[in-house]
């Protein structure tokens, strides 16, 4: 039997950073589900698909072959055989991911891969609907969140460190809008699973959050 740790939460809550560290501590495989949806979003962008055109999204999404593998201990996201790690973290891709991920065929295609990974490996998986839909029987479920302004500040600092010019007010507005989209979508909306432990990381260090999750593991 595999051991499953599910971490859900809104954009910018630090899910990926925390999940990677928890996976390293436990010796588990980290599955970045958000990266899968971002890879799909990137593909749709390259095909000039309008995210409001349901027919076009569902037709094109089946053309995207998305896989995850590890190279020298680093997770690599492959889109039709190409490493897309360097291009899927932009704001444009993030917005497309939020707009395209609610479509049934998009979710069905990616969820199947996620379930198979978790069935055969000890995993730490983060996303929007892991504990509620993808891994409803996970051994540990966490809902990781933080205030919208705190998340915007983190993203602003991250972009500034990379030399990217940005407006923190616009970032916060985008985060609030993405929260609304994720929480109100018809299929697999973002919400805290009934048996998930709520962790607000607004005023916690990364190590404190990691330890809180490790303490939940039997």
């Amino acid at each position: 039997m595999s051991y499953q740790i599910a971490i859900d939460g809104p954009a910018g809550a630090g899910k990926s950073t925390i999940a990677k560290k928890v996976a390293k501590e436990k010796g588990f495989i980290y599955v970045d589900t958000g990266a899968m949806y971002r890879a799909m979003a990137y593909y749709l962008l390259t095909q000039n698909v309008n995210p409001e055109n349901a027919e076009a999204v569902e037709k094109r999404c089946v053309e995207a072959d998305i896989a995850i593998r590890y190279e020298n201990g680093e997770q690599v996201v492959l889109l039709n055989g190409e490493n897309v790690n360097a291009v899927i973290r932009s704001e444009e891709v993030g917005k497309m991911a939020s707009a395209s991920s609610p479509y049934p065929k998009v979710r069905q295609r990616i969820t199947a891969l996620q379930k198979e990974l978790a069935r055969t490996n000890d995993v730490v998986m983060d996303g929007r609907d892991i504990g509620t839909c993808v891994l409803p029987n996970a051994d540990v479920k966490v809902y990781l969140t933080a205030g919208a302004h705190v998340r915007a500040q983190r993203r602003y600092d991250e972009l500034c460190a990379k030399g990217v010019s940005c407006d923190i007010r616009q970032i916060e507005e985008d985060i609030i809008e993405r929260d609304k989209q994720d929480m109100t979508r018809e299929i697999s909306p973002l919400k805290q699973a009934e048996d998930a432990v709520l962790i607000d990381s607004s005023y916690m260090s990364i190590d404190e959050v990691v330890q809180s999750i490790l303490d939940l593991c039997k």
Side-chain angles (χ1 to χ4, degrees), residues 156-174:
Y156 176 81
D157 292 342
E158 179 184 350
L159 291 172
C160 287
K162 295 179 180 179
V164 178
S165 177
C166 53
D167 181 347
I168 190 170
R169 290 174 298 179
Q170 185 61 53
I171 293 174
E172 184 170 356
E173 288 177 6
D174 289 344

Side-chain angles (χ1 to χ4, degrees), residues 31-42:
V31 182
D32 184 352
T33 62
M36 295 181 185
Y37 282 105
R38 281 175 172 269
M40 177 67 76
Y42 176 70

Side-chain angles (χ1 to χ4, degrees), residues 118-129:
R119 186 183 69 81
T120 55
N121 300 276
D122 294 330
V123 299
V124 179
M125 197 176 293
D126 73 292
R128 304 288 197 279
D129 64 347

Side-chain angles (χ1 to χ4, degrees), residues 10-12 91 95 98 128 146-152 168-184 190:
E91 291 296 313
K95 290 178 181 179
S98 284
R128 304 288 197 279
H149 183 71
V150 172
R151 288 183 279 143
I168 190 170
R169 290 174 298 179
Q170 185 61 53
I171 293 174
E172 184 170 356
E173 288 177 6
D174 289 344
I175 283 176
I176 292 172
E177 179 59 28
R178 286 178 62 185
D179 284 353
K180 181 179 179 181
Q181 289 179 357
D182 290 340
M183 292 177 179
T184 60
L190 167 65

Side-chain angles (χ1 to χ4, degrees), residues 10 84 90:
V84 292
S90 71

